[in-house]
Amino acid sequence: MTKRACKYRFYPTPEQADLLARTFGCVRFVYNAVLRWRTDAFFKEQQKIGYTQASARLTAIKKAPELTFLNEVSSVPLQQALRHQQAAFKHFFEGRAKYPAFKKKRHRQSAEFTTSAFRYRDGKLFLAKCAEPLAIRWSRALPSEPSTVTVSRDAAGRYFVSCLCEFAPETLPVTPKMIGIDLSLKDLFVTSEGERIGNPRHAAKYATRLARAQRRLSKKKLGSANRAKARQKVARIHAKLSDCRMDGLHKLSRRLINENQVVCVESLTVKNMIRNPTLSKAIADVGWGELVRQLEYKGEWAGRQVVGIDRWYPSSKRCSCCGHTLDSLPLDIRAWACPECKTEHDRDVNAAVNIKAAGLAVLALGENVSSMGPVPVSGSR
C-alpha cells in the first residue's frame, strides 16, 4: 500500500466560502506571526525555537483579547501550519530549501485538516464547523477513506480539495519495449525511435490575451474593486495556461509508462538552466522537470523503470554508430555527419539513441556513463 493524493474541485456555499476565507486568514496569520517570532528570537537572542515552543506560542496567541477571532475557526489547520513550518525549517537547515518565507494574501491559500477535523461518510465530505457537505465534483471514487484533507483556493478564486488516501498500485504487464527520450525546446522530446512530440508552446498561445489583461490591470487604481476584478482575469489566464500544460504532460507521461518497460531520460538541472535570460521563459513553459517527475512516480506505481543518465554525458555530440565524440556542436546545427564512419545524424534522434544506450548501461552496471567513462550513480533516478 502507498499513499496518493486525489484532487477535486468543489463549489462552496456562501457560508462555507466565508468560513474558509476566515480559516485561510487565520492560518496565514499564525504562520507569519510564529515565523516572525522565531526569526527575531534567533537573530536577537541566538535562540533556536522548536515545534514544542512554537505550539506553546500559538496557545498564548489565542488567549490574547485582540486575537479572539482565531478561536472562531478549527484549531487543527492552525496546528498543522506550525508542523509545516517546522518541516520547512528542517529542509532549510539540511540545505534542501531556502529560509521559510512569509505567506501572502494574494497567493494560493490552503488549510490542512486531519481526521479529527473532518468527516467522510457515503461519498460526502464534512469539514469542522460546516453543517453542509462540500459540493465536490467527484471525477473518480476515492480508493479509501482519506487520512488528511487539504482545502485550497488558487489565485483565480477556484476551490480544490486534496484527499490523501492509501491505495494499492496496479503493476502493468512486462513489455520488451525500451525507449530513450531527448528533451528539447523545438520539440518537447524526441524518442530513440525517431518520434517527435511537438512543443505545444502554451505561453505563446495565450501571450496576446495575457498581455492585454495585464495592460488593463496596470491602469486600474490601486486598492479599487476594478483592480481586484482585473487581477482575477490575469490569474484565470495563468490558471488556464497551467492546466493546459499539466494536462498535456500527464497524457504524455502516462503513454510513455504504459508502452515501455524502461524509459531513459537526461538528468537536467532545470533550476540552473532557467537562469539563462534568453531561454528562461521557453524552458519554464515546456515543463521538463514536471514531465520527469511524473514519469518517476507513475513508473514506480506501474512497476516500470525510469533511468536518468549523467547530465554531462555528451549525447548530442557522440556518434551512436561508432562512438566518436565531436569536440563541439553548436545549438544551431541540427544535423551532422560523423567524421569517422560518415553516418548522417539528426541531432535529436542521435541524442535519444545515446541516452537509451547509456540508460541501459546504468541498469546493467549500476553506474552512470559519461564521456570519461563510468561515474557514481549520483545523477541516476
Side-chain angles (χ1 to χ4, degrees):
M1 299 293 286
T2 185
K3 290 187 179 294
R4 176 181 182 179
C6 300
K7 187 176 180 180
Y8 308 91
R9 187 172 179 181
F10 74 96
Y11 300 85
T13 63
E15 294 78 13
Q16 290 173 341
D18 177 69
L19 177 61
L20 288 175
R22 287 186 284 127
T23 302
F24 294 148
C26 292
V27 168
R28 186 176 63 252
F29 176 84
V30 168
Y31 188 95
N32 291 344
V34 175
L35 177 58
R36 170 53 60 195
W37 176 64
R38 296 177 73 161
T39 303
D40 291 344
F42 179 77
F43 284 103
K44 293 180 181 179
E45 305 173 7
Q46 287 70 51
Q47 180 184 4
K48 290 187 177 181
I49 306 298
Y51 170 74
T52 303
Q53 295 167 289
S55 180
R57 176 70 175 181
L58 172 59
T59 303
I61 289 175
K62 293 176 71 174
K63 293 180 180 179
E66 67 276 12
L67 301 178
T68 55
F69 61 87
L70 294 176
N71 298 297
E72 297 176 0
V73 301
S74 173
S75 62
V76 172
L78 308 184
Q79 204 70 43
Q80 290 298 101
L82 297 185
R83 291 191 173 93
H84 294 163
Q85 186 179 102
Q86 184 64 29
F89 271 107
K90 180 181 178 181
H91 295 321
F92 167 71
F93 287 121
E94 294 178 357
R96 294 195 298 269
K98 295 182 179 180
Y99 192 82
F102 292 97
K103 292 183 178 293
K104 298 183 179 180
K105 184 177 182 180
R106 292 175 182 170
H107 289 185
R108 176 181 176 272
Q109 307 293 310
S110 66
E112 184 177 282
F113 297 81
T114 58
T115 51
S116 61
F118 72 87
R119 188 173 77 258
Y120 178 74
R121 294 290 184 275
D122 302 325
K124 294 182 180 181
L125 183 64
F126 297 82
L127 296 180
K129 298 184 181 293
C130 280
E132 299 180 15
L134 299 181
I136 301 175
R137 297 297 180 262
W138 299 102
S139 56
R140 65 180 66 183
L142 291 178
S144 65
E145 288 200 7
S147 57
T148 62
V149 167
T150 302
V151 179
S152 61
R153 184 186 66 210
D154 64 8
R158 302 178 301 175
Y159 290 85
F160 297 93
V161 58
S162 180
C163 303
L164 185 63
C165 307
E166 287 191 347
F167 85 111
E170 295 183 8
T171 302
L172 294 177
V174 176
T175 175
K177 291 190 64 177
M178 296 174 285
I179 199 170
I181 60 174
D182 176 54
L183 304 172
S184 64
L185 290 178
K186 182 180 178 182
D187 299 294
L188 176 58
F189 62 81
V190 179
T191 71
S192 54
E193 298 175 351
E195 181 184 5
R196 295 180 179 273
I197 304 299
N199 183 357
R201 303 185 188 277
H202 298 292
K205 290 181 181 178
Y206 291 91
T208 303
R209 286 175 56 188
L210 182 60
R212 186 187 302 116
Q214 288 174 331
R215 284 196 301 270
R216 291 175 177 174
L217 171 62
S218 67
K219 296 176 182 179
K220 304 300 181 184
K221 183 179 179 180
L222 291 175
S224 66
N226 284 336
R227 185 175 178 85
K229 294 177 184 177
R231 188 186 302 112
Q232 283 280 308
K233 290 183 180 179
V234 173
R236 282 197 292 268
I237 296 175
H238 278 295
K240 178 68 175 178
L241 194 156
S242 177
D243 289 347
C244 290
R245 182 185 300 114
M246 289 294 290
D247 180 67
L249 293 178
H250 273 296
K251 291 176 180 177
L252 288 172
S253 60
R254 173 49 59 193
R255 199 191 90 183
L256 287 172
I257 292 299
N258 285 352
E259 295 178 355
N260 302 279
Q261 185 66 33
V262 178
V263 180
C264 306
V265 296
E266 299 172 273
S267 299
L268 299 176
T269 53
V270 179
K271 185 177 180 180
N272 294 337
M273 296 173 67
I274 210 168
R275 295 174 182 172
N276 186 321
T278 305
L279 300 176
S280 59
K281 186 175 181 180
I283 293 174
D285 181 43
V286 75
W288 290 335
E290 179 62 22
L291 176 62
V292 174
R293 186 189 74 86
Q294 292 181 13
L295 287 172
E296 287 177 340
Y297 78 77
K298 290 177 182 178
E300 183 179 355
W301 289 351
R304 307 300 203 199
Q305 290 179 297
V306 178
V307 185
I309 68 167
D310 185 78
R311 69 186 64 170
W312 304 115
Y313 182 71
S315 57
S316 298
K317 299 187 295 182
R318 187 183 183 91
C319 175
S320 57
C321 295
C322 68
H324 176 76
T325 303
L326 299 178
D327 294 331
S328 64
L329 187 64
L331 282 174
D332 59 337
I333 298 178
R334 310 311 302 176
W336 58 282
C338 176
E340 294 291 331
C341 64
K342 311 304 180 183
T343 304
E344 296 285 340
H345 289 298
D346 177 279
R347 178 193 184 106
D348 298 326
V349 175
N350 176 69
V353 173
N354 283 327
I355 289 171
K356 176 183 176 181
L360 296 181
V362 170
L363 287 180
L365 304 175
E367 298 174 324
N368 262 350
V369 179
S370 70
S371 58
M372 302 300 293
V375 298
V377 195
S378 59
S380 65
R381 298 178 184 270

